[in-house]
Amino acid sequence: MPDFDIGTDAFHTPDPVGKGVSAEAKRLGFRAQFNSPYGGSIVPMKFYQKDRRVISVMIEANRKLYMDLNTMQKTAGFERTRIACNRLMYAAAYAAEQYFGSVL
């Protein structure tokens, strides 16, 4: 099971966005996989498969990184995971910004 699951959509997740998130996870010392164990990302139905300007990527953190699964209490890894999630979101936003700059 990966540390982070990067959920993508063939229409709404440009390759550079998914790859940017994956590269940042690796740089931070985490294991990431695409669409495993869950696949896809969320897009409002109004835009689904209609507007490529709507970019979507779903980042899911494995609970073992930040929680004791027996007691459901935060572990020492909570803060590191919180920071990593923030960095992964910024990586996605940066990659999307670069992508739109290259296609406009």
Side-chain angles (χ1 to χ4, degrees):
M1 194 110 156
D3 296 322
F4 287 95
D5 171 20
I6 304 167
T8 63
D9 176 88
F11 189 89
H12 291 285
T13 310
D15 281 343
V17 174
K19 288 178 182 176
V21 174
S22 178
E24 183 66 6
K26 184 176 182 179
R27 192 184 76 70
L28 294 171
F30 293 100
R31 292 177 319 121
Q33 289 182 323
F34 291 99
N35 300 310
S36 176
Y38 308 106
S41 62
I42 297 173
V43 177
M45 289 306 295
K46 177 179 178 180
F47 303 107
Y48 185 66
Q49 302 271 317
K50 296 174 186 158
D51 190 343
R52 289 195 184 272
R53 295 174 301 167
V54 177
I55 290 180
S56 178
V57 64
M58 189 175 303
I59 303 167
E60 299 183 58
N62 189 323
R63 287 182 289 181
K64 71 178 183 177
L65 295 174
Y66 61 87
M67 177 188 295
D68 180 312
L69 299 179
N70 294 316
T71 65
M72 305 302 277
Q73 299 295 310
K74 289 187 220 178
T75 64
F78 180 84
E79 186 62 15
R80 179 175 182 243
T81 305
R82 185 192 68 75
I83 291 168
C85 288
N86 187 281
R87 300 288 264 306
L88 296 178
M89 288 186 286
Y90 273 100
Y94 179 78
E97 179 181 44
Q98 297 303 301
Y99 172 77
F100 278 123
S102 69
V103 296
L104 294 180

